[in-house]
Amino acid sequence: MTKDIAVYGGSFNVAGSHHRHIAMELSDVKPEFTQHGAPRFDFTLAVPCGPRPDKVSVNDTLPIFRAITCDLTFAGVPRTVPDLFDLEQSSFTTTIGLDERYKRAHPDGNVWHVIGADMVQHGAVGKAAIQQWEGGERLWRDLRWAVVTREGYPLAPGDLPPGAKIVAHGTDGASSTIRHLRYAGKPFAHLVTPQVAAFIERYDLYRGGQPVSTALLQAQTPKVILVIDELNPKAVAIAERFRAFEVADPADANMILVIGGDGMIHKAVQAHWRLRLPFVGINAGRRGYLLNDPEQMTPERLYGPLHAHLHTLLYGEVTDVTGASTQHYAFNDMCMKAQSLGGAAHIQVSVNGDVKYDRLVGDACLVCTPGGSTAYARHMGVSPVRPDARSVFLTGLAIEEPEPFRPANLPFGATIDMAALDTDKRPVGVCMDNSRVLNARTLRVRTSNIGAVELAFLPERDMMAKFDERQFAGGRTR
């Protein structure tokens, strides 16, 4: 059966309740939707654009915040998924580019582009906004358009393109209004979802200053998704104290409670980071650097206040020896390492396109975040740094060449390329926290433009305090 796919593109800066309303109509949630004779969309892709030369307000907001608020806005809307590829790649894909992308992905589907009535008004006389775009006449004639009516933009007979239908009815709202109200210190929460309002307040967004990386988290009623290390009896026992807060539907949750060790946090992040909920960890393992003390974290403490730290993830593109490419995210680190026992990896390493090592010979080459600087990378010579540091680190394990080898401190946004040499003789794999790809050929890694997680801690021993404890470990004798 042919699928109808709605492509809902926009800046979504900020994604507001008016955007969610349109997505709800496109997903056929409201009974009156089908009464208008509209096509039933099998699913909707909400696509926030990357940098735009013609809309500087888009470029004023860090893409990671647009990604988070977009995910929060459309959460729970049936058959609606934000596609954040433009934000991740810092690219701007035109309408025709989106059409080609999704037709390739869904060759048997009908791709409909969601657009406001203001963009087709006056089409009958050749003066619609779409018709003025580059290649506008072709777009007008050849593409399918899902038109959303807007108050103040009446459509005359003949205004619709040949392949267009009115499919939804919009509500008043504009992202610019939300930003202006927030900047002026006026109420804005009625124009966004409660989750978006809380996130904007928490990280002091759209106020003209630098967003904070540590914020105060207060939950009126904790509603948790429980992630437990079921093989750890201590974790299972601790979890019983928090069962009363567990929700059956993840859409109702306001935090993710992880009980286990640091490795369990990594697994939980891999599985749930796109939910954009704070992760609260309780240590049932050994070190528990990313978790709270089980004696201190009682059920009552979930109500807050907690200190939330926002951490940017690493984004990696891995190509294997067959040419297949996959994308991955990691909290701590990404590492290219020798796959065979007793054989060293031979790796060419570049930073921002500049070859730094023609041939690095050793067991592994690793890139880590500030959070990862206290873990595996610390044993490779990286000096641990504060969790809010704007750096990534390049280091290696058992490096034979070059001699001497020292870890490198690189800025956020740096792109590190690793290319395995002599893969037939010296196979390598790529590890990302708790996952791996075997028989790899290349790894490109950088800080993500969309991937971030909040880790929440008790105020008296948050992540900064834990870092200080490790930094000055052994300094006190009594």
Side-chain angles (χ1 to χ4, degrees), residues 186-441:
K186 297 179 179 179
F188 72 98
H190 59 292
L191 298 177
V192 298
T193 67
Q195 295 81 4
V196 169
F199 186 84
I200 288 174
E201 293 278 11
R202 195 149 72 238
Y203 288 97
D204 202 26
L205 304 181
Y206 299 103
R207 293 299 301 272
Q210 183 73 20
V212 299
S213 60
T214 304
L216 205 61
L217 181 66
Q218 192 98 34
Q220 291 184 343
T221 303
K223 300 176 182 179
V224 309
I225 297 171
L226 270 176
V227 180
I228 310 162
D229 183 354
E230 300 286 358
L231 299 178
N232 182 334
K234 182 179 178 182
V236 174
I238 292 172
E240 292 307 311
R241 294 158 38 194
F242 297 88
R243 289 290 182 186
F245 298 115
E246 188 176 16
V247 294
D249 185 353
D252 297 329
N254 55 21
M255 64 179 65
I256 299 170
L257 187 62
V258 184
I259 306 175
D262 286 331
M264 205 65 203
I265 281 280
H266 294 152
K267 291 179 181 177
V269 166
Q270 288 288 343
H272 300 300
W273 69 268
R274 282 295 295 271
L275 294 179
R276 309 296 189 176
L277 297 175
F279 290 78
V280 181
I282 301 178
N283 185 29
R286 295 181 64 227
R287 294 188 180 277
Y289 182 65
L290 304 177
L291 306 105
N292 293 276
D293 183 271
E295 282 72 39
Q296 294 177 327
M297 181 55 81
T298 61
E300 295 74 25
R301 299 299 301 272
L302 285 184
Y303 289 89
L306 300 173
H307 282 184
H309 297 259
L310 188 66
H311 297 266
T312 303
L313 302 179
L314 290 176
Y315 169 74
E317 298 173 354
V318 180
T319 303
D320 67 19
V321 293
T322 71
S325 179
T326 51
Q327 291 76 47
H328 305 269
Y329 292 87
F331 181 92
N332 264 5
D333 46 52
M334 292 190 177
C335 178
M336 179 174 277
K337 61 193 307 183
Q339 191 169 296
S340 58
L341 293 175
H346 288 211
I347 304 169
Q348 183 185 78
V349 182
S350 303
V351 177
N352 295 331
D354 182 18
V355 175
K356 300 299 184 183
Y357 300 110
D358 292 313
R359 185 179 293 265
L360 186 146
V361 179
D363 284 358
C365 184
L366 176 141
V367 176
C368 75
T369 63
S373 71
T374 63
Y376 194 21
R378 183 167 63 94
H379 303 288
M380 296 187 184
V382 169
S383 296
V385 298
R386 289 169 52 94
D388 59 353
R390 300 288 293 175
S391 299
V392 294
F393 300 89
L394 172 69
T395 189
L397 178 65
I399 302 300
E400 299 173 14
E401 299 176 20
E403 178 75 29
F405 174 85
R406 296 183 180 86
N409 185 330
L410 303 171
F412 256 44
T415 298
I416 299 96
D417 284 293
M418 303 181 199
L421 308 174
D422 309 325
T423 53
D424 290 339
K425 181 180 178 182
R426 304 176 185 279
V428 301
V430 171
C431 297
M432 297 78 57
D433 287 348
N434 289 333
S435 61
R436 65 176 181 169
V437 175
L438 297 178
N439 299 313
R441 187 180 298 278

Side-chain angles (χ1 to χ4, degrees), residues 5-7 9 26 38-39 41 94-96 98-99 110-117 119-120 128-131 133-148 159-168:
I5 303 149
V7 177
L26 295 173
F41 294 106
T94 62
T95 300
I96 193 65
L98 293 175
D99 196 68
N110 294 324
V111 176
W112 295 78
H113 298 273
V114 181
I115 198 162
M119 304 305 290
V120 299
I130 292 174
Q131 292 169 315
W133 295 351
E134 183 178 350
E137 286 302 326
R138 176 196 167 197
L139 299 177
W140 183 268
R141 181 185 68 246
D142 295 343
L143 269 58
R144 290 184 173 89
W145 300 98
V147 180
V148 178
D159 272 353
L160 293 181
K165 292 183 180 181
I166 294 175
V167 298

